[in-house]
Amino acid sequence: MASGIKDKVAILGMGCSRFGERWDVGTHQLLAEAFDEALLDAGIERKQIEAAWFGSCMDHVNIGNSSIPASVALRLEGIPVSRVENMCATGTEALRGAVYAVASGAVDIAVAVGAEKLKDTGYGGLPPPFKGTLNDLWLPLGSAPAGFAQLAAGYRKKHGISKEDLKRALGHVSWKSHENGVKSPKAHIRKRVSMEQILNAPMIADPLGLFDCCGVSDGAACAIVTTPEIARALGKKDLVTIKAIQTASGSGVESHTTLWDGSYVTTTRNAAKRAYAEAGITNPREQLSLIEVHDCFSITELVTMEDLFISKDGQAVKDILDGFYDADGGLPCQIDGGLKCFGHPIGATGLRMAYEVYNQLLHRAGERQLANPTIGLTHNLGGVPYLGIAAISILGLL
């Protein structure tokens, strides 16, 4: 493969708004909230930024089209600003653009920023996506909970897991995130929930109950990136670098043929293999210190543990119930509460995950700080299990 981007780009600064029902601000203020924190953390002036990537997916009510909302909100005078959209992988896609620009030598300092203010759209959940006439032939009017409930059915059938055991594991996924989210000041939901509440909650799409589903939210997150050499010249000592960024898009094989059994997500497995090769990771279960994965639904997190090759196929239920992914387990997952507690403002989510890994690596995570993290992974999954987009970034200390 190509040489990749490992350690060619360092994170100079990051910022993140408070997530939640942000009726008090507009999207431009959310963007500025995240950007101002990142700029202060980077210790540079606005005029030193040479290019920007702005991620926003579904918030046409507030964002509209083009890059102009971001360039105006951040007062980015006369530099190239690109808007990107790639479903739920949008935030990581924005980071990929900024990182690739620096790694290529095209610019010295770039910014990635993502935002979404979904509460203002007027929808209880996500606004209806417009996928184009071709995609609508294959993704007709399906709800997200129903699409991911099918993943649960396929997984349970393949591995012979009882409905009761799977439900207990799914409940533990949600319970864990709520336990962690209490310690995240910027999370949308900071409330402990008992297993009894989770298991007895109203059903949304069998076996996914109310607490198996994340909510929508308002939020923004931002990263400023440069080369390690420039970062050191600017006075940075402890550097967090990009070890890998990979994405994978579905080709239609799963949805258009009988080659897929419905028990895993092909795009995540493809992106993970390339990301591990780029980062030089041969044993993710042992080498990773923490992971932030796309827990839009609890079954997504459970299956992702196998798609990332951390749990063996059919063993994620056991690992989850054994506490391997708990805050004090072998590999903490969603140490900040994940989508379950932050909600899912789509354009911001991938960057919010990177923000948590970045702060953990620099020992800035407050009462949820892990003992000695050295490398972390983020994962996004857009679309549905049978046709979607996966994005993975790996960050680590240099």
Side-chain angles (χ1 to χ4, degrees):
M1 65 179 293
S3 61
I5 59 168
K6 181 181 179 182
D7 293 332
K8 294 178 180 177
V9 179
I11 297 178
L12 195 57
M14 291 203 75
C16 182
S17 76
R18 181 173 60 81
F19 280 36
E21 296 189 5
R22 296 298 304 274
W23 307 111
D24 56 320
V25 296
T27 307
H28 62 292
Q29 291 164 303
L30 285 176
L31 285 164
E33 195 173 320
F35 178 66
D36 288 348
E37 182 186 344
L39 203 60
L40 183 64
D41 182 32
I44 62 171
E45 297 182 22
R46 190 185 315 258
K47 64 183 180 183
Q48 292 175 265
I49 295 171
E50 298 172 83
W53 275 260
F54 167 45
S56 181
C57 184
M58 288 185 168
D59 182 9
H60 301 297
V61 172
N62 293 294
I63 297 294
N65 297 318
S66 87
S67 62
I68 289 176
S71 60
V72 169
L74 308 186
R75 295 291 188 265
L76 299 174
E77 180 64 34
I79 66 169
V81 181
S82 302
R83 174 174 168 171
V84 297
E85 180 276 313
N86 215 354
M87 302 186 88
C88 298
T90 295
T92 302
E93 195 68 81
L95 180 63
R96 190 166 73 111
V99 166
Y100 277 19
V102 170
S104 73
V107 300
D108 284 335
I109 300 177
V111 61
V113 64
E116 214 93 33
K117 198 167 190 307
L118 294 175
K119 289 297 181 181
D120 285 358
T121 61
Y123 293 93
L126 294 175
F130 299 98
K131 303 180 293 294
T133 53
L134 178 61
N135 274 347
D136 277 339
L137 292 173
W138 306 105
L139 293 167
L141 302 175
S143 74
F148 284 88
Q150 291 175 343
L151 181 64
Y155 180 86
R156 195 164 72 80
K157 178 181 180 182
K158 179 176 182 178
H159 298 295
I161 295 169
S162 71
K163 189 172 184 177
E164 292 72 21
D165 284 347
L166 182 62
K167 188 64 179 174
R168 284 196 303 119
L170 297 180
H172 190 96
V173 166
S174 300
W175 171 84
K176 162 182 62 65
S177 290
H178 279 279
E179 287 291 309
N180 294 341
V182 169
K183 300 176 182 176
S184 292
K186 293 184 177 180
H188 184 158
I189 298 172
R190 302 181 66 193
K191 182 178 180 180
R192 286 193 166 87
V193 180
S194 70
M195 280 294 291
E196 183 180 16
Q197 286 176 286
I198 293 170
L199 296 177
N200 293 322
M203 192 64 70
I204 303 299
D206 193 13
L208 305 177
L210 179 65
F211 289 102
D212 293 304
C213 312
C214 84
V216 297
S217 190
D218 304 334
C222 179
I224 298 174
V225 297
T226 187
T227 67
E229 293 77 18
I230 293 173
R232 287 197 182 93
L234 290 169
K236 298 291 182 180
K237 295 180 179 176
D238 299 323
L239 295 188
V240 174
T241 58
I242 308 296
K243 306 295 183 182
I245 293 184
Q246 292 288 338
T247 69
S249 298
S251 67
V253 169
E254 301 97 310
S255 54
H256 305 175
T257 72
T258 57
L259 298 175
W260 179 61
D261 64 12
S263 68
Y264 60 95
V265 177
T266 304
T267 51
T268 295
R269 295 191 175 213
N270 288 335
K273 289 175 184 175
R274 291 203 301 271
Y276 292 148
E278 187 170 39
I281 290 177
T282 55
N283 185 346
R285 189 178 178 98
E286 296 294 331
Q287 291 175 264
L288 295 174
S289 307
L290 72 154
I291 54 177
E292 290 279 317
V293 304
H294 202 86
D295 58 322
C296 50
F297 301 96
S298 54
I299 185 62
T300 320
E301 178 173 326
L302 186 151
V303 171
T304 298
M305 299 303 104
E306 297 179 14
D307 292 338
L308 292 176
F309 310 106
I310 298 168
S311 291
K312 293 180 180 178
D313 283 0
Q315 294 299 305
V317 168
K318 180 178 185 305
D319 280 343
I320 287 169
L321 292 175
D322 286 347
F324 182 73
Y325 298 107
D326 291 358
D328 58 355
L331 178 54
C333 177
Q334 326 293 57
I335 191 65
D336 64 352
L339 275 68
K340 190 71 187 66
C341 293
F342 273 83
H344 186 22
I346 297 174
T349 292
L351 283 161
R352 187 271 302 162
M353 293 173 166
Y355 176 79
E356 176 64 18
V357 173
Y358 171 76
N359 280 319
Q360 287 282 349
L361 294 175
L362 294 178
H363 288 259
R364 299 176 175 176
E367 60 177 322
R368 66 183 184 282
Q369 178 65 51
L370 299 173
N372 190 30
T374 57
I375 190 162
L377 176 147
T378 76
H379 159 264
N380 298 129
L381 180 62
V384 284
Y386 48 87
L387 188 57
I389 302 154
I392 291 174
S393 70
I394 299 176
L395 282 58
L397 296 171
L398 185 62

